[in-house]
Amino acid sequence: MAHLLGFTKSDSLIEYQPLYTNMLGDIKDPRRDEDEELSSHSSSAMGLEEGGARRDWSQPTIQKSWRSRFSLGGRGSGRNGESESQRRARRREGWRWVGIVAVILTIFGVIAGGVYVTLVTILLRRLAPRPDHSGLHYIMDTWQEPDSNGAFKYEWRDDFSRDIEPKNCHSHNDYWRHVPLYAALTAGCVSFEADIWLTDDNELLVSHDWKSTKKTRTLRSLYLDPLMNIFENRNITTASEPVKDTGVFDMDPSASTVLLIDFKSDGAATWPVLLSQLEPFRKKKWLTYYDGETLHQGPLTIVGTGNTPFDLVQANSTNRYVFFDAPLVTISDGKYNTTNSYYASSSLKAAVGSLWFKTLSSSQNDQIKAQVKAAQDKGLNSRYWDTPGWPIGRRDEVWKKLIDAGVGMLNVDDLVSASRWNWGWCVVAGMALCGNN
């Protein structure tokens, strides 16, 4: 029985041995299964390691193959089995195609650039103001700085202001221009500005600051004497009947030009000197004046700003011919009116605050409209200075909003752009066509 069950007896020990019989089927030794499983895992791991080693070994070959395909030459770029002459030929072929592509792109670039320049040139010719020819243009071409003999002298021409339409623009810091006074008149601007300094010998020098003054650049040599010459020649007539005194512009002889005088030195000391220099104009009745009852408009209107003393402006109540530049922000003050003031001015920032991105917000635009209307209700001309000058598109946008709001006088630094260009076309195809003048 023990033999049948697989038991054997040896040295008093009974040892179990598995029997493989057809009756019980295949009965495997568990220890052998464990050994075989360990052996199988070991073989699999070795296989993976060998496979990984083979892949690592083959990777450089693949990378080399891709580099060789896209390389135009150089060390290590040859294909397997290529001779040196074949590699050189392949490099030459690659560089040849690079050259062809570069030439094609260059040709297209030149053509595109030529088309762009041509279109902009044609557009510029269509948009640019046509050149005018008048006596003022002749003066602009021949003008010279005043010297010890006084203002620049020229031969008068009857076409002095032919085809120049007067416009409500103010030439800010006019004395800085290449040709003071005449540049503003040529552009059609009816207003211009001069800063004056009183000297010890009672002369009025024109300059933005004292250190830049020159003895030859005086209020008389730059402005008063040239204006006197213009009015004298413009008012020569052979008509049998008296005619109204004529202003600067042929297209509107009744238009009054405005000389805004910025008192830089002491106002009280400067005042009598200015009045004495204006006396020749007053005697000829070429100045706008108030006689105590009526405001009489003349070819020239004098307005004081800066340190101009308002009390001295008010003092002469029967023959007032210098008017005040009133503060626009406080124009509601009852003391400012047409009998003593002409302008109502303010810097744009003081009037509406800082401009974000140099453009007016809707609330700022409403403020401007209210201020302009307040000045209009008093018969005064509103004016904003220190407006944006750049970018040109932003500048033009502010100009347009001021004009739409009904501003009395547009304060400008760029005369030609302001007076002769269509502001909507100052920037075309990325080019600023309206430059500073």
Side-chain angles (χ1 to χ4, degrees):
M1 185 65 179
H3 177 72
L4 292 174
L5 294 175
F7 290 95
T8 60
K9 186 175 182 182
S10 175
D11 297 332
S12 303
L13 295 175
I14 298 175
E15 181 180 3
Y16 169 77
Q17 293 181 350
L19 297 178
Y20 299 90
T21 64
N22 292 333
M23 182 183 297
L24 298 176
D26 292 338
I27 301 176
K28 296 183 179 180
D29 189 345
R31 289 174 294 180
R32 181 182 297 176
D33 290 344
E34 183 178 352
D35 292 340
E36 289 176 356
E37 184 176 358
L38 291 173
S39 176
S40 175
H41 284 301
S42 176
S43 299
S44 299
M46 290 178 63
L48 289 173
E49 290 175 358
E50 290 175 359
R54 285 194 296 272
R55 284 192 295 272
D56 291 342
W57 174 83
S58 63
Q59 188 67 24
T61 302
I62 297 174
Q63 293 175 351
K64 181 178 180 181
S65 176
W66 280 105
R67 285 197 302 267
S68 64
R69 290 184 183 183
F70 291 98
S71 176
L72 294 177
R75 187 175 180 180
S77 63
R79 294 172 178 167
N80 292 333
E82 278 188 339
S83 65
E84 183 64 24
S85 61
Q86 289 174 327
R87 285 196 295 270
R88 290 178 179 175
R90 182 165 51 82
R91 287 197 296 268
R92 285 195 298 269
E93 181 69 13
W95 284 114
R96 187 173 73 86
W97 280 107
V98 170
I100 292 173
V101 172
V103 169
I104 292 174
L105 292 177
T106 301
I107 292 173
F108 276 107
V110 170
I111 293 174
V115 171
Y116 176 84
V117 172
T118 301
L119 291 176
V120 170
T121 302
I122 294 173
L123 190 60
L124 179 61
R125 289 180 178 178
R126 287 182 175 273
L127 297 176
R130 63 181 178 82
D132 291 325
H133 301 284
S134 66
L136 276 169
H137 290 88
Y138 168 76
I139 295 172
M140 288 284 292
D141 293 336
T142 59
W143 186 85
Q144 296 177 1
E145 281 279 345
D147 54 24
S148 58
N149 295 321
F152 168 71
K153 296 178 176 59
Y154 55 89
E155 181 181 355
W156 179 261
R157 291 172 46 165
D158 290 336
D159 63 348
F160 177 76
S161 59
R162 185 181 62 189
D163 296 331
I164 298 176
E165 182 180 358
K167 309 169 187 70
N168 287 345
C169 54
H170 171 75
S171 178
H172 180 235
N173 291 338
D174 182 80
Y175 48 88
W176 273 347
R177 305 196 183 282
H178 177 64
V179 183
L181 176 63
Y182 297 108
L185 297 179
T186 302
C189 290
V190 299
S191 181
F192 29 88
E193 179 179 343
D195 297 356
I196 60 172
W197 298 85
L198 178 65
T199 65
D200 293 337
D201 57 352
N202 287 334
E203 187 58 84
L204 298 176
L205 303 182
V206 175
S207 178
H208 192 67
D209 49 52
W210 174 254
K211 65 181 180 181
S212 301
T213 57
K214 294 182 180 180
K215 290 183 178 181
T216 56
R217 291 176 67 89
T218 67
L219 183 64
R220 282 185 288 200
S221 67
L222 289 178
Y223 292 96
L224 297 183
D225 289 349
L227 286 169
M228 176 63 72
N229 182 52
I230 292 171
F231 293 139
E232 285 178 343
N233 283 280
R234 290 280 294 159
N235 285 282
I236 294 176
T237 179
T238 58
S240 58
E241 296 182 4
V243 294
K244 184 178 180 179
D245 291 328
T246 302
V248 172
F249 300 100
D250 282 325
M251 295 189 70
D252 187 0
S254 64
S256 180
T257 50
V258 182
L259 175 57
L260 179 64
I261 300 177
D262 189 345
F263 284 46
K264 292 295 186 180
S265 47
D266 180 74
T270 305
W271 182 259
V273 178
L274 175 63
L275 294 185
S276 66
Q277 293 192 9
L278 293 175
E279 184 64 15
F281 292 89
R282 188 192 68 80
K283 287 182 177 180
K284 292 180 177 290
K285 296 185 178 181
W286 285 342
L287 296 178
T288 298
Y289 69 97
Y290 175 68
D291 63 6
E293 295 181 357
T294 306
L295 182 67
H296 302 271
Q297 179 177 294
L300 179 63
T301 300
I302 305 297
V303 182
T305 188
N307 291 331
T308 301
F310 181 72
D311 58 333
L312 293 181
V313 172
Q314 283 276 72
N316 190 343
S317 59
T318 58
N319 191 18
R320 183 180 301 149
Y321 51 91
V322 177
F323 296 85
F324 195 64
D325 182 16
L328 178 59
V329 177
T330 58
I331 197 59
S332 58
D333 192 323
K335 65 182 179 181
Y336 303 118
N337 53 64
T338 55
T339 68
N340 56 40
S341 301
Y342 182 85
Y343 280 133
S345 304
S346 172
S347 72
L348 190 59
K349 182 177 181 180
V352 298
S354 299
L355 273 62
W356 289 96
F357 305 108
K358 295 188 177 182
T359 188
L360 291 167
S361 65
S362 58
S363 61
Q364 289 174 324
N365 201 39
D366 291 340
Q367 285 181 273
I368 288 175
K369 290 179 179 179
Q371 293 166 357
V372 168
K373 186 177 185 305
Q376 288 176 340
D377 291 343
K378 288 197 166 189
L380 304 180
N381 293 281
S382 55
R383 181 179 69 96
Y384 293 91
W385 48 274
D386 197 21
T387 56
W390 188 89
I392 291 176
R394 295 296 189 192
R395 177 202 67 185
D396 296 349
E397 180 183 342
V398 171
W399 281 356
K400 187 176 186 304
K401 287 185 177 181
L402 290 176
I403 293 297
D404 291 343
V407 69
M409 194 71 67
L410 185 64
N411 194 89
V412 299
D413 291 297
D414 189 340
L415 294 175
V416 175
S417 296
S419 63
R420 305 192 65 194
W421 275 88
N422 182 332
W423 299 340
W425 292 98
C426 275
V427 179
V428 176
M431 295 182 63
L433 304 182
C434 306
N436 289 325
N437 292 279

